[in-house]
Amino acid sequence: MSRCATVSRSLDEPVSGTAATATTWLLLEQPGPWGVKALTSSHLDPALGRALEAAAEGTGVRVALIRRPGRHADPGTPAPRQVYVAHTVPGTGWLHRATTSDPYRLLGLDFAALGAGDHRSFGTALGGRPHPGDPLALVCTNGKRDRCCALLGRPLAAELASSGVRGVWEVTHLGGHRFSPTVLVLPYGYAYGRAEARTIKEALHGVQEGRVVVEGCRGCSAWDRPGQAAELAVRSTAGEYAAGALRVVRTEGRAPRWEVVVAHTDGRHWLVTVAQGASLPPRPESCGAAVLGTPARMDVVAVRELRTTALAS
């Protein structure tokens, strides 16, 4: 039986505008196996998992579990865990890190403030500080959600780690199983689909140089799906790859058509028309799907640079 990622690739389904949306990512190290809903089906206390889900609801924060690439034995003894929090809105992004032996301390975080870009509660609750090391590459490997994530994601995570790339973690869920292997690069928050080690290494190198790699890019998680597609289209049209140079400042309309205004830090603006289409023919949206689906796709219809007079009207 064909895997969902194999079918998606063979049908050349576009990846632009398919990233999970979150202004801020909160990542907790959790060794051992993960279930379908990892926050409540792993060796993490499910009561804590439910509390974290409730605390993050509606705040723009997305909580995920991470673990080192390789074997997933859980020694079952308390040990310091890495905790990361990353705000991904371009121009205001940051990545902080902490360690804790008591994951319940995460409930002391101000989730609404984190979602808005205020990291102070991370320092107060966990002693968090700015992350001084390499950017992070989070590879989705949770085979209990979809077998493609394990079959394609785990080898990629292992290849990156064994080749000396630092900052590689396995992560529970990034959405879009059919684009496996999927990777999220922090602190910028750009997600990648059908990822190869070469592309991810280039994306991580780009972070260190202050630029964004658009090859295989699904979009920046800070924006909604029309905004993700619009921003990537402007990058390609304008040849602008500097990180933080572009922001989605306005989105008008509703499905199946939006008008998105993308602004450059130098004052230029673009009006991008994005239309929602259906991916045909029907295909499995995940390996466990009982029926075939026609997942929504974001098609950029037009990109037009605006003049000052148009902005004022």
Side-chain angles (χ1 to χ4, degrees):
M1 183 172 62
S2 296
R3 299 194 301 262
C4 66
T6 303
V7 175
S8 177
R9 185 187 292 266
S10 68
L11 294 174
D12 199 25
E13 183 180 352
V15 302
S16 175
T18 66
T21 56
T23 55
T24 301
W25 291 80
L26 177 62
L27 309 166
L28 171 64
E29 183 179 4
Q30 176 57 59
W34 297 332
V36 174
K37 296 184 177 180
L39 282 177
T40 54
S41 55
S42 68
H43 289 184
L44 183 71
D45 184 345
L48 173 58
R50 287 189 292 271
L52 289 171
E53 289 177 335
E57 181 74 26
T59 65
V61 176
R62 189 177 178 108
V63 185
L65 302 181
I66 57 175
R67 64 191 177 196
R68 301 286 187 182
R71 298 185 63 185
H72 300 140
D74 185 352
T77 55
R81 305 168 186 236
Q82 295 292 327
V83 186
Y84 295 94
V85 64
H87 186 61
T88 64
V89 175
T92 63
W94 43 260
L95 174 61
H96 284 212
R97 182 184 70 186
T99 59
T100 183
S101 297
D102 179 11
Y104 268 90
R105 292 176 62 187
L106 272 67
L107 296 179
L109 296 171
D110 185 335
F111 282 78
L114 289 175
D118 183 346
H119 55 68
R120 287 176 294 181
S121 71
F122 192 68
T124 302
L126 293 163
R129 295 289 184 271
H131 174 56
D134 295 284
L136 305 184
L138 309 175
V139 185
C140 185
T141 63
N142 190 354
K144 289 296 177 66
R145 288 196 69 96
D146 192 281
R147 62 176 179 157
C148 282
C149 297
L151 292 172
L152 301 175
R154 290 194 66 191
L156 175 61
E159 180 181 357
L160 289 169
S162 65
S163 66
V165 177
R166 292 175 291 188
V168 180
W169 293 87
E170 298 186 6
V171 68
T172 47
H173 185 46
L174 296 177
H177 319 296
R178 64 193 183 278
F179 302 121
S180 295
T182 60
V183 182
L184 177 70
V185 173
L186 295 177
Y188 288 168
Y190 284 86
Y192 294 84
R194 304 187 187 116
E196 299 178 355
R198 172 190 57 82
T199 305
I200 301 307
K201 289 178 181 179
E202 178 65 18
L204 293 171
H205 186 60
V207 172
Q208 296 173 325
E209 295 186 336
R211 60 182 173 83
V212 173
V213 171
V214 299
E215 179 185 353
C217 192
R218 300 175 63 191
C220 176
S221 74
W223 313 129
D224 60 15
R225 291 188 62 185
Q228 293 171 14
E231 188 229 20
L232 289 176
V234 170
R235 285 195 177 279
S236 296
T237 299
E240 178 56 81
Y241 305 109
L246 300 177
R247 288 176 64 96
V248 174
V249 296
R250 188 168 72 244
T251 300
E252 296 180 345
R254 62 181 65 182
R257 194 176 184 88
W258 298 267
E259 302 287 342
V260 183
V261 176
V262 178
H264 195 290
T265 51
D266 66 9
R268 287 180 292 166
H269 289 73
W270 291 263
L271 180 65
V272 184
T273 303
V274 181
Q276 177 177 302
S279 297
L280 296 170
R283 78 284 311 273
E285 295 188 54
S286 65
C287 289
V291 297
L292 301 182
T294 54
R297 52 185 285 170
M298 297 292 115
D299 294 320
V300 173
V301 177
V303 179
R304 178 168 64 91
E305 186 171 352
L306 296 175
R307 305 204 178 268
T308 306
T309 52
L311 288 170
S313 61

